[in-house]
Structure formats: structure tokens, C-alpha cells
Amino acid sequence: MTKAKKVIILSHCILNEYSKVKKWDKDEKITELNTMDFLKFLLDSEIGIIQLPCPELKGYGLKRWGQVKEQYDHPHYRKICRELFEPILDQILEYQSNGFEIISLMGIYGSPTCGIYRTCSGNWGGEIGSNPDIQGTIATVSGIDDSGIFMEEINQIFKDNDLDIPMIDFHKENLASIIDQIKKSL
């Protein structure tokens, strides 16, 4: 991988879908391209990969329920995010000081933690079993145009370190467009 000298930073679950919140429905939309096609494109293009850690997995484990941004928006979780990103920042600075270009950091479309331009929001919390209006609470959950908590912290770290690294949301239904975006930077 010495020719390209380009590196991309990927959210953890792009490479490891087992880290995601369990989905109850197994129906996934069939898309033109899949994650393996995307990863093959990166490897064929000789783009190095840095995998971000997963703050949700670190903080709440594999048996966690799906949450919204507001539930993660507290000082302890933000601290976890910053601490998890420190070694990645060191890698970024090391790569850059050795002539590598970080072409992008890729988040997860709709994630309350790793969404860059889209996240999940709502009035969600408390004991599910004792909620007298569980359907009303569920109805408050929606996607909004905003960043997830980890991406907000990373963006601030980038600003604090004068780093200008493009950020892209990974969205399986839009992989052809994402690949085109990356090709333009090559």
C-alpha cells in the first residue's frame, strides 16, 4: 500500500456489523452494491483503512437497546467518545506527517453516535414495561438532520487540531454515490 498513500477512516460497524444493535426484522433492501463491494473498491484502490472503535459497544455492550441521540448526550458518554478517539488522532497525525492523505472519515447514516449528517432523535427513555404510552413514546423517534455524539466530538477534535478531513455518511442504499465521491479524491 505504498503507491496510493491514501487512508480512509471507517466507523466500526462498516467492518463489523456484529457490533450493531440487534435488528428484529431480517429484511434488508437489495441494493446495487453491498458493503463487500465497497470494501473491495477500497482495497483495489490501495486505500488504507483505519477502523474507529465503537463507543456504543464499549459503553453499553452487545445486548443494548436501540437508543436516540438524546440518551447518549451526556458528559460521561462524550468523555468515552473523546478517549476512544485519542489513539485514532495519533494515527492520523502519524500518517499525515509521513505524506499520507486522509481522504475521508466515514460515519453511519442515521446513527445516534456515528451519524454525520443524519441521526436518530426522540423523547425516549425510562422503563419500557411501565410506560403507559409506549406507542406515543415510540412515535417521537425519528431521523433528523444532525450529527451523532461521537461525530460531534470528532469534529471538535478536528477543529482543535486544525484538521480538514472530509466526512461522509455510509449508507448502503447510496454506495455507488459514495464510491464516486471517493474516486474524485483519488
Side-chain angles (χ1 to χ4, degrees), residues 129-186:
S130 65
N131 184 331
D133 185 21
I134 189 68
Q135 292 304 319
T137 301
I138 291 169
T140 71
V141 177
S142 66
I144 61 168
D145 294 335
D146 200 2
S147 297
I149 300 299
F150 194 26
M151 293 302 131
E152 285 181 350
E153 292 300 319
I154 290 172
N155 197 36
Q156 186 59 53
I157 291 167
F158 283 174
K159 286 178 184 174
D160 293 346
N161 288 275
D162 294 321
L163 293 171
D164 185 21
I165 297 173
M167 298 174 86
I168 303 171
D169 266 325
F170 181 84
H171 192 329
K172 283 186 179 181
E173 294 177 26
N174 202 15
L175 285 179
S177 173
I178 291 168
I179 289 172
D180 287 342
Q181 271 184 278
I182 293 171
K183 282 180 180 177
K184 289 176 185 173
S185 71
L186 296 179

Side-chain angles (χ1 to χ4, degrees), residues 55-93:
E56 291 181 29
L57 178 61
K58 172 82 172 164
Y60 299 97
L62 289 175
K63 295 180 183 175
R64 67 191 183 277
W65 290 101
Q67 296 193 50
V68 294
K69 179 179 178 176
E70 291 80 1
Q71 289 173 290
Y72 290 124
D73 192 4
H74 57 84
H76 179 68
Y77 191 69
R78 286 184 178 275
K79 180 180 177 185
I80 288 171
C81 291
R82 286 189 305 274
E83 289 173 352
L84 286 175
F85 192 71
E86 279 181 28
I88 304 302
L89 176 62
D90 291 343
Q91 289 179 52
I92 290 168
L93 296 173

